[in-house]
Amino acid sequence: MRILILGGTRFLGRHLASLALARGHTLTLLHRGHSGPALFPQAEHRIADRNGALDVLARDTWDAAIDTSAYVPRHVRSVAAALNGRVGHYQLVSSISAYASLAQPGTAEDAPLAKLADPTVEAVTGETYGGLKALCEAEALHAFGPAGCCIVRPGLLVGPFDPTGRWTWWLQRIQRGGSVLAPGTPDAPVQFIDARDAAAWMLDQAERGSTGAYNLTGPAQPLTMGQFLAAACASLQPAARLQWVDEDFLLAAGVAPWSDLPVWLPRATQALHQTCIARALAAGLQCRPLAQTIADTAAWAAQAAPAATSAGASIGAGPPRPAVGLAPECEAALLAAWRQQAKAPDGGPEA
Ligand SMILES: NC(=O)c1ccc[n+]([C@@H]2O[C@H](COP(=O)([O-])OP(=O)(O)OC[C@H]3O[C@@H](n4cnc5c(N)ncnc54)[C@H](OP(=O)(O)O)[C@@H]3O)[C@@H](O)[C@H]2O)c1
């Protein structure tokens, strides 16, 4: 097939590009040439900024386009106009953040989407990101038609080349060993997907011309925070000791869920980690063993430049991302205060 990826040189798109080439597809990548200009010499690169003219798309046809870099509806509109019908199938990477609410477990694809008070807004922030993705979806359906497009709503993407530093932070923290502050309770649900598994599934759908909307996260069977952290300890640092710290204590101490302690969500918002992935599973989603994602991500992070594994404000066109992870001295102070409060012996209650 002739496949066009709008993006393709950073994380999810990078895995998509790599796999598309491995499967023998003819690949075109559209990007600005900032993120990975030397990647994929076998592909054709068309250099353009999506915020400007897309004349570079004015020739050729593609069987499928996969859009990893649309953040405002104008991005989708301009690609549709530039392609002008010369693509068989369009796949938009949206997000589970596009839902109006993730307050209840089991959010499925027919749940209402977020609505922005001002739909003309273009600033991508933590507040507007989901509503803008919902508008991108509406634009895709309008421009390519329901029979010509597929909407993919990933949850937390993890694995090698993850530029956000979130999930990777836990692996690096556990590798340091000692008492590791584990937030909340070990039975809290968590969902995330190896971006390589997401890419494989997305490429399958592009090859089949699948339509409709799909939540895309994992694993196939429910996973808990305790199982995730225990697997990371087993794989990376068996001597690390998890010390579970009550969420009320952490919240009262000002610890920010998701950023200070990535992946962690307090009980009231844990349904974000319980979205329904039945449709994606029925369409063939396969998630590799957690231990493999842990080992591969740790190996990548060990040789990557520090900037590649720690988030900052400079992650392309997406919402600004705060730095993630507690500083070691902050974690130690919290653990000491928790032990004192819980009157636990040094080392505390462990799991
Ligand atoms: N990370 C998560 O947990 C998560 C969860 C849910 C949904 N998502 C969504 O998943 C997608 C993942 O993106 P990714 O970064 O991994 O994809 P990617 O395709 O690997 O990287 C982004 C690509 O877009 C290009 N790009 C960025 N801004 C551009 C512009 N203005 N004009 C042209 N090209 C541009 C970048 O290249 P240049 O910089 O060289 O231009 C790069 O090739 C996003 O849509 C995100 O909203 C992510």
Side-chain angles (χ1 to χ4, degrees):
M1 284 174 67
R2 288 182 53 83
I3 294 182
L4 167 67
I5 299 180
L6 299 148
T9 56
R10 197 160 52 208
F11 177 35
L12 175 63
R14 180 175 181 153
H15 292 301
L16 273 163
S18 173
L19 198 57
L21 289 169
R23 289 189 188 180
H25 296 303
T26 302
L27 185 63
T28 307
L29 302 174
L30 181 139
H31 55 86
R32 294 166 302 179
H34 296 180
S35 300
L39 289 171
F40 308 122
Q42 320 89 305
E44 186 193 351
H45 295 251
R46 299 205 183 171
I47 304 301
D49 188 327
R50 299 190 67 163
N51 294 309
L54 293 182
D55 300 347
V56 293
L57 293 181
R59 59 183 159 78
D60 295 328
T61 60
W62 289 270
D63 301 300
I66 305 178
D67 192 344
T68 60
S69 55
Y71 289 93
V72 297
R74 177 173 48 78
H75 289 155
V76 180
R77 208 158 38 240
S78 61
V79 162
L83 289 173
N84 194 20
R86 288 175 291 103
V87 68
H89 179 256
Y90 172 82
Q91 190 180 98
L92 172 72
V93 181
S94 179
S95 166
I96 59 166
S97 299
Y99 289 112
S101 168
L102 289 166
Q104 299 300 323
T107 298
E109 288 82 355
D110 56 356
L113 297 183
K115 283 201 176 82
L116 290 173
D118 175 7
T120 64
V121 74
E122 286 221 331
V124 186
T125 66
E127 286 68 45
T128 62
Y129 170 69
L132 284 169
K133 283 288 192 185
L135 287 173
C136 289
E137 292 189 16
E139 192 63 48
L141 288 166
H142 173 73
F144 297 95
C149 76
C150 181
I151 307 290
V152 180
R153 299 183 185 134
L156 179 62
L157 296 164
V158 307
F161 303 114
D162 179 359
T164 72
R166 296 178 290 207
W167 198 80
T168 314
W169 181 83
W170 276 111
L171 308 189
Q172 294 177 317
R173 170 62 196 93
I174 282 167
Q175 280 177 318
R176 284 209 318 273
S179 285
V180 177
L181 193 163
T185 57
D187 62 352
V190 283
Q191 280 182 320
F192 46 75
I193 185 167
D194 190 311
R196 296 169 295 181
D197 296 332
W201 182 90
M202 289 169 60
L203 200 53
D204 290 346
Q205 308 317 309
E207 288 165 356
R208 286 180 210 155
S210 300
T211 58
Y214 296 85
N215 292 340
L216 184 59
T217 186
Q221 298 302 321
L223 182 76
T224 66
M225 192 72 171
Q227 289 167 329
F228 162 45
L229 296 181
C233 291
S235 171
L236 303 173
Q237 181 55 278
R241 292 170 300 153
L242 298 178
Q243 179 153 1
W244 292 92
V245 177
D246 185 72
E247 74 169 39
D248 293 337
F249 173 88
L250 293 173
L251 295 172
V255 177
W258 200 255
S259 52
D260 284 338
L261 289 170
V263 185
W264 169 55
L265 292 170
R267 271 184 299 277
T269 51
Q270 277 170 5
L272 187 149
H273 279 311
Q274 293 171 291
T275 55
C276 175
I277 55 167
R279 281 202 82 195
L281 289 170
L285 175 63
Q286 297 200 355
C287 300
R288 72 195 61 212
L290 175 57
Q292 194 183 331
T293 303
I294 290 171
D296 292 351
T297 309
W300 162 74
Q303 53 75 48
T309 62
S310 60
S314 61
I315 303 191
R321 305 219 183 259
V324 296
L326 285 176
E329 58 278 12
C330 186
E331 182 194 30
L334 283 163
L335 281 175
W338 169 247
R339 285 180 193 129
Q340 199 169 24
Q341 175 173 314
K343 295 203 174 11
D346 196 38
E350 286 158 20

